[in-house]
Amino acid sequence: MRCTFLGTGTSHGIPVIACACPCCRSTDSRDKRFRSSFWITDSGGYGHAPVSILIDIGPDFRLQALKFKITSLDALLLTHGHADHLNGLDDIRIFSRISFREQTAGKPGPAVQGIPVYGDSETLKDIHNRFSYIFQPVMEGGGKPKIHLEDCRHFSAEHPLKLGRLKFVPVPMKHGSLDTTGWIVSNGSAAVAYLTDCNYIPPETMELLTRYRNLEHLVIDGLRERPHSTHLSFLEALEYGAETGARHIWLTHICHDMKHREIQNYIAGKLASVPGLAPLTAGGRTVEPAYDGLTFMV
């Protein structure tokens, strides 16, 4: 399983329009951030087909797909319906010409009409409202993506969503007053959790995360040093990370308050001075701000 950060920025992206702050003027490529999105691919094997899965599809998706050479898409998983996580949906038209077929024991399963899109009920309502033309007849020449909407809350740790040989489990979070969905993906030997756009992770989600003894990577919302009403601060993200036991922790959905190097220095200082974060420095564990293009293998 290969995981790539297509974007690690906030709804504004970095550089921010009309901003001349040091971060927005930085020449460090790690300070150039598309809107947050995460791409998972798996080569398959053991009777399963290769898959290409996207978590969130913001307004930068066309540029992300070109930059990172995305040539296929089998499913789209959504965390919520905010514009910076959904408004690139129309750009999957090029991929939705071919229906996704899950391979089981080397035999094709039933075809799904269009690309399956998984989100909670409110997110699916947002798609119907914002992209109503997808579900209506259009004039000749009117292109639209072919998608199939599925409520992700039908899936659980006991009954995960299966895509190729990967298993996905949606988990609840809070983004201010809005319910959002985190995702845990496992390939059988290791797991990755993707938890963006949250300021509160409920006990049932934390309990599930700690059950994954093979949780290799935790990607978690970490907006900035200062507190925010709908996002985790850097310190809050580190505190949650310490509880999960994940071996590697990556902050994402980062704003332009600090440059990448400054965030690294901030994290190092907290790890050295906050007693409750001591577990994050033990046994080869790492904590870093993510950046666009960062890739890891599991």
Side-chain angles (χ1 to χ4, degrees):
M1 178 168 59
R2 179 185 177 96
C3 300
T4 302
F5 290 89
L6 302 183
T8 54
T10 65
S11 57
H12 290 296
I14 301 175
V16 176
I17 295 172
C19 183
C21 76
C23 183
C24 289
R25 289 185 288 109
S26 171
T27 58
D28 187 338
S29 63
R30 296 171 299 179
D31 292 324
K32 312 299 183 186
R33 301 183 185 275
F34 284 132
R35 268 63 77 94
S36 292
S37 183
F38 197 61
W39 181 33
I40 300 170
T41 59
D42 186 71
S43 59
Y46 302 103
H48 295 290
V51 291
S52 172
I53 313 295
L54 189 67
I55 302 182
D56 286 342
I57 187 162
D60 296 322
F61 176 67
R62 178 180 174 274
L63 296 176
Q64 292 167 329
L66 292 170
K67 180 175 181 178
F68 298 107
K69 297 179 172 57
I70 300 176
T71 58
S72 66
L73 183 64
D74 296 308
L76 171 62
L77 281 54
L78 297 171
T79 59
H80 63 302
H82 282 170
D84 55 322
H85 296 261
L86 179 59
N87 275 16
L89 182 64
D90 190 75
D91 283 324
I92 66 171
R93 280 187 293 166
I94 196 70
F95 301 124
S96 65
R97 296 173 182 170
I98 302 174
S99 295
F100 173 79
R101 287 179 179 269
E102 183 177 354
Q103 302 292 319
T104 305
K107 299 179 180 179
V112 176
Q113 185 58 45
I115 293 177
V117 177
Y118 300 92
D120 64 23
S121 59
E122 289 303 311
T123 302
L124 300 187
K125 288 179 185 177
D126 286 338
I127 294 174
H128 272 283
N129 291 333
R130 203 174 307 162
F131 299 92
S132 59
Y133 64 91
I134 292 177
F135 310 98
Q136 299 171 1
V138 295
M139 295 175 60
E140 184 178 353
K144 59 182 182 179
K146 297 177 178 64
I147 60 175
H148 178 72
L149 303 184
E150 292 281 353
D151 191 329
C152 68
R153 297 298 166 89
H154 295 157
F155 302 98
S156 65
E158 292 73 27
H159 302 284
L161 167 63
K162 297 178 182 179
L163 299 170
R165 67 169 182 166
L166 303 181
K167 296 180 180 180
F168 292 83
V169 177
V171 293
M173 306 183 298
K174 296 295 289 188
H175 182 33
S177 60
L178 178 68
D179 291 326
T180 56
T181 302
W183 291 93
I184 304 172
V185 54
S186 173
N187 63 5
S189 59
V192 175
Y194 187 79
L195 311 179
T196 192
D197 283 59
C198 60
N199 68 314
Y200 174 72
I201 303 174
E204 60 267 30
T205 295
M206 291 302 298
E207 191 275 332
L208 180 59
L209 288 167
T210 57
R211 264 198 267 158
Y212 281 85
R213 299 301 180 189
N214 60 349
L215 184 60
E216 191 70 13
H217 295 269
L218 169 69
V219 181
I220 188 167
D221 184 300
L223 182 73
R224 64 191 189 190
E225 179 182 5
R226 294 176 291 128
H228 192 277
S229 60
T230 64
H231 289 277
L232 295 174
S233 67
F234 295 151
L235 181 56
E236 290 169 331
L238 297 182
E239 290 171 340
Y240 274 125
E243 288 184 50
T244 67
R247 184 169 176 79
H248 303 290
I249 296 171
W250 306 99
L251 304 184
T252 193
H253 210 283
I254 297 167
C255 82
H256 62 151
D257 278 14
M258 288 185 184
K259 298 179 184 178
H260 183 90
R261 175 58 68 181
E262 293 170 333
I263 301 170
Q264 287 179 313
N265 292 339
Y266 171 90
I267 291 172
K270 290 299 180 183
L271 295 182
S273 62
V274 179
L277 301 182
L280 295 177
T281 63
R285 298 177 70 182
T286 63
V287 187
E288 290 281 340
Y291 55 87
D292 293 15
L294 172 66
T295 297
F296 57 79
M297 301 291 295
V298 177

